[in-house]
Amino acid sequence: MGLFDSLRGRRTQQPDSSGAEIGPIDPGEPDPIDLRPRTDGSYHSSAGALRFTAAAVRESPEADPAAAKQDLGSADARTGEYTSAGRFLVRSPARGSVTFSAVAVTPDLLTLRRTDIGTGDSAVVDFRFQPD
């Protein structure tokens, strides 16, 4: 067993006392979410906006699409890198850090759990795609 396998959890055939299996069923299986966001526009919600590039993501707290577009281009926008598993962290010195975890992915809708690390507030948010 390699280091990566040990970090993912141990595999067991026996459920724990709650009835759930411990660790992943098969460490070699792909993650259930395959995040491949569109890069020809941005995703908007009442919680803000996200813009993806090949490997990076920018986040703005602005709900208005025009204000969000301007904010996504500013130096104050939270930035980070995303994974195809749908988990990412965005941060900026002025605004703190936020984590995202994909709940569901469709071509024009991302349902993400958004957690503000500073306040601990967490919510599931639908981000709808809007082309440029």
Side-chain angles (χ1 to χ4, degrees), residues 9-10 20 22-23 26-27 31 48-49 51 87 95 101-102 111 121-122 130-132:
R10 60 190 166 101
I22 300 171
D26 182 358
D31 288 314
R51 178 176 274 298
R87 293 180 291 272
R95 295 182 177 164
S101 180
T111 302
D121 292 339
S122 182
Q130 293 181 1
D132 286 339

Side-chain angles (χ1 to χ4, degrees), residues 8-131:
R8 287 189 73 164
R10 60 190 166 101
R11 182 179 172 194
T12 181
Q13 299 296 332
Q14 301 297 322
D16 67 9
S17 61
S18 68
E21 289 189 0
I22 300 171
I25 302 297
D26 182 358
E29 271 188 36
D31 288 314
I33 298 290
D34 185 21
L35 179 63
R36 294 181 190 196
R38 294 181 60 177
T39 58
D40 59 334
S42 51
Y43 292 84
H44 296 269
S45 75
S46 59
L50 297 170
R51 178 176 274 298
F52 293 88
T53 61
V57 60
R58 296 177 70 83
E59 190 249 3
S60 167
E62 299 292 334
D64 176 59
K69 184 175 182 177
Q70 183 177 5
D71 191 47
L72 287 168
S74 76
D76 287 339
R78 291 183 180 116
T79 60
E81 295 179 2
Y82 66 93
T83 66
S84 62
R87 293 180 291 272
F88 52 96
L89 167 80
V90 292
R91 61 183 150 210
S92 108
R95 295 182 177 164
S97 301
V98 174
T99 62
F100 290 90
S101 180
V103 175
V105 176
T106 63
D108 293 331
L109 178 71
L110 298 177
T111 302
L112 305 171
R113 176 171 302 283
R114 182 184 185 278
T115 305
D116 186 315
I117 293 174
T119 63
D121 292 339
S122 182
V124 175
V125 181
D126 288 332
F127 287 87
R128 298 199 184 282
F129 181 76
Q130 293 181 1

